[in-house]
Amino acid sequence: MNLTDPNLLKRHAYIDGNWQRSNSTFPVVNPATNELIADVSDLSEVEAEAAVIAAHIALPNWSAKSASERSKLLNKWFQLMMLHQNDLAILLTSEQGKPLAEAKGEIAYGAGYIEWFAEEAKRVYGDTIPAPSNDKRIVVIKQPVGVVTAITPWNFPNAMIARKAAAALAAGCTFVVRPASQTPLSALAMAELAERAGIPPGVFNVIVGTDAQGIGKVLTQHKLVAKFTFTGSTPVGKKLLAQCAARVKKVSMELGGNAPFIVFDDADIDAAVDGVIASKYRNAGQTCVCTNRIFVQHSVLKTFAFKLAAAVDKLNLGNGLNENVDIGPLINEQAAHDVHSLVTESVQAGATVVLGGTAPVDNFYKPTILSNVTNEMAIAQNEIFGPVSALIGFQTEQEVIELANATEFGLAAYFYSRDIGRVWRVSEALEYGMVGINEGIISNPAAPFGGIKQSGFGREGSKYGLEDYLNIKYLCMGALNN
Ligand code: NAP
């Protein structure tokens, strides 16, 4: 791998400011070529516990720093990430597969949360509340929850960590993360830069290892852990939530989605096509806020499908490290196989292939469009997690709102309309945590990212993002008239 700064390729866990090795290792491979990138130390629950203890020991000094001191260190970390944006992007594309331009975008996006929370650290305000009697005063202060642990997925190996760690550290918490075993290198590079930024030992720890369950038990159940935060699938999230119940941990969950994308007959069709390209085909369709079901009003369905096919046909599939590639490989062969199964099952159930639909080659899946899909088909009720558009026709606004909400998920939704009345009605009726209106890219550090229903709870980014890492303490001062 050709890095300007080869020291950013780390192979061992980062615990208490030390690079911790293990005799056993696991391979990290490039999904575009299946070539080995690095053998990484395979650590266990023993080292996970050591990381939690290190975070516990580091907590008093870190939380005692002034907001301004923590802010300066976070800002330095942000600057180093942006300084090394190219190398971090090469590492990210190599282990995850997304095109290099998207990987650079993810580094800037992730770093943006660190910059944002470096500022928010200074705005942890409390309250004074009028008391029910004159001899009392009610004061509310906010304090860091304590040691925070996290488990993150492979689809955004940098940003899913940055979103959590930035808020936790800004609030005065210390942090232990276990990244997905397919993509540990981006997390370890973040640790290297945290160290260079001067973030003290024990404040930011990365435990790497293939024993997801064993390490996960420590991170969800250890008595020194105050809060657990997870990004990943809903089934795994439910298991981890149950584990957290044993010690009543504070929890936040960023889980799966099934985003509807609605195109009304009054929409700007070209803008809607651009919106689908951005929200469906980014990261080869492997994002939690990916458009999953595209509802198009019957009168514009033909035009929309034609224009979408023309745009999708131009997307280049290939190794994300090469130039002019729009769509990289899926994360592994199983993922490509699963996407193709959903497509063939839909066709057997009556869907029509407009574009693509061919069997995967290695981990690559050709961008695909299906029409005549129904909301009951498996492809409309499961996260596709691949570059496949599923078009569903509809007649009325009321009908499409019911269809859009007929899912257990509630993360992101999108719709295109130029009717101001409809914009308000539909925005309020959609049962989702986030709604893009004439917009396919909705996530940024200033906005509260998160879902409802089985897409989870808690928010990342914005002023609300800090709240998940703070305890509210109420002080009641009495006998003031004596
Ligand atoms: P996943 O299978 O749930 O895995 C997520 C993480 O959990 C990985 O680090 C995984 O480790 C770990 N894990 C799996 N089983 C575990 C267990 N029993 N105990 C402890 N840890 C366990 O999800 P994924 O396939 O990596 O990611 C895709 C999912 O994440 C999609 O559903 C997507 O929608 C969701 N997602 C949600 C958001 C959001 O903000 N709402 C953002 C991004 C992704 P290994 O990889 O080592 O198995």
Side-chain angles (χ1 to χ4, degrees), residues 320-364:
L321 288 173
N322 296 338
E323 276 188 17
N324 299 326
V325 166
D326 305 298
I327 306 227
L330 296 184
I331 190 68
N332 54 35
E333 215 167 335
Q334 183 64 45
H337 172 81
D338 290 349
V339 170
H340 192 53
S341 294
L342 277 176
V343 168
T344 49
E345 205 181 306
S346 309
V347 171
Q348 278 159 14
T352 318
V353 176
V354 177
L355 195 76
T358 48
V361 177
D362 299 324
N363 302 340
F364 290 94

Side-chain angles (χ1 to χ4, degrees), residues 26 109 150-156 160 163-164 178-183 209-217 219-220 228 230-237 239-240 243 253-258 286-290 331 383 385 409 411 434 449-451 455-456 460:
F26 64 97
Y109 169 72
I151 296 180
T152 52
W154 49 263
N155 62 348
F156 286 88
M160 294 304 101
R163 282 202 321 206
K164 298 177 188 301
R178 177 194 178 274
S181 42
Q182 277 142 320
T183 56
T210 49
D211 181 10
Q213 285 194 26
I215 296 173
K217 281 221 167 86
L219 301 189
T220 52
F228 174 70
F230 177 67
T231 298
S233 65
T234 297
V236 173
K239 276 190 208 159
L240 298 174
Q243 286 174 206
M253 291 271 151
E254 296 284 353
L255 306 177
N258 181 3
Q286 305 170 107
T287 83
C288 53
V289 290
C290 253
I331 190 68
E383 280 189 292
F385 249 56
F409 296 106
L411 191 59
M434 299 173 280
F449 189 102
S455 291
E460 293 184 343

